[in-house]
Amino acid sequence: MTSPRVSDHPIDPLFTRRWSPRAFTGEPIPRETLSTVLEAARWAPSSFNSQPWRFIVGHRDTPAWAPIFDALAEVNRGWAHRASALIVIVSRTQWVPPGKTEVEPLRSHSFDTGAAWASMAFQATMLGWHVHGIGGFDRDRVRASLGVPADHAVEAVVAIGRQGDPSVLTDAQRAREMPNQRQPLAALVAEGRFDFPG
Ligand SMILES: Cc1cc2nc3c(=O)[nH]c(=O)nc-3n(C[C@H](O)[C@H](O)[C@H](O)COP(=O)(O)O)c2cc1C
């Protein structure tokens, strides 16, 4: 048993309700539902409104699934095969800003794309679906097989699905199948200067 998630300060329950299970049902996700999840990402804030995020979707049981799934680390293939869709998130690393003619780096491409990912995660939660971020995959393989150009960074893969029964998991997976906790806010916030232990 784990303790339930309790926030140190009052927040909308959505923030503690979102978590990353590994047991999924494998049922298809309606395209309209996934569009709503991605629409939430579309409205994320970004530096100069540059919107550097791009999403490459692979619904299960379609030809777009295998090139993403096959690039996952074995430990992640061990549960992600029950997801409804896998989404590769890439970000544009440079652009020509409005009113300029030269290409410039988009320094906040990862930061901004992280905001879009979080928006996806919360919108999925609100709709009764779960997302699970995946960093354990072969980025070069994804870049090659999906045709991601050099001026885009391969950020992450996201598995989306309906939460399934933990009995489908291996013992090791099941032992981790619960919402985890967080450091206290006091360990994350300092006033006036960088003042954090360790
Ligand atoms: C960018 C990113 C990469 C992650 N990579 C993996 C991964 O490769 N395998 C995995 O099982 N979980 C992965 N996770 C899930 C995290 O372990 C999880 O989000 C974290 O423990 C917090 O738990 P919660 O999402 O349930 O709140 C990843 C999450 C993110 C955001």
Side-chain angles (χ1 to χ4, degrees):
M1 272 300 282
T2 183
S3 37
R5 287 179 160 181
V6 179
S7 63
D8 290 351
H9 298 271
I11 55 173
D12 192 286
L14 176 67
F15 293 101
T16 44
R17 204 152 49 80
R18 184 217 55 80
W19 73 289
S20 306
R22 293 184 176 82
F24 288 116
T25 62
E27 69 197 70
I29 182 166
R31 285 175 184 268
E32 318 81 72
T33 302
L34 193 52
S35 292
T36 295
V37 168
L38 295 170
E39 178 73 18
R42 177 182 166 227
W43 289 100
S46 59
S47 174
F48 291 104
N49 200 19
S50 55
Q51 305 163 64
W53 42 75
R54 302 288 183 270
F55 306 98
I56 304 167
V57 174
H59 285 265
R60 68 177 301 116
D61 302 327
T62 73
W65 170 272
I68 307 174
F69 181 77
D70 292 348
L72 300 184
E74 190 177 352
V75 67
N76 290 320
R77 287 201 307 273
W79 56 267
H81 65 93
R82 290 190 206 88
S84 305
L86 297 170
I87 304 161
V88 176
I89 304 183
V90 308
S91 67
R92 196 175 174 183
T93 59
Q94 49 189 30
W95 74 328
V96 179
K100 303 221 176 154
T101 51
E102 301 292 312
V103 172
E104 291 183 12
L106 262 173
R107 293 188 203 291
S108 59
H109 63 95
S110 287
F111 184 83
D112 295 342
T113 302
W117 136 254
S119 298
M120 278 179 67
F122 291 119
Q123 181 64 71
T125 305
M126 291 173 84
L127 295 170
W129 293 76
H130 282 78
V131 295
H132 194 137
I134 301 175
F137 67 99
D138 185 333
R139 284 164 175 72
D140 293 340
R141 184 169 175 167
V142 161
R143 181 180 290 284
S145 58
L146 275 59
V148 179
D151 61 355
H152 285 65
V154 179
E155 301 281 0
V157 177
V158 175
I160 184 165
R162 286 255 197 224
Q163 191 180 350
D165 193 293
S167 63
V168 301
L169 298 173
T170 64
D171 289 348
Q173 291 167 340
R174 199 176 317 111
R176 303 167 66 192
E177 189 69 349
M178 59 193 74
N180 53 21
Q181 299 296 326
R182 291 296 185 270
Q183 299 180 59
L185 189 62
L188 309 174
V189 180
E191 192 159 339
R193 59 174 281 118
F194 190 98
D195 181 17
F196 301 100

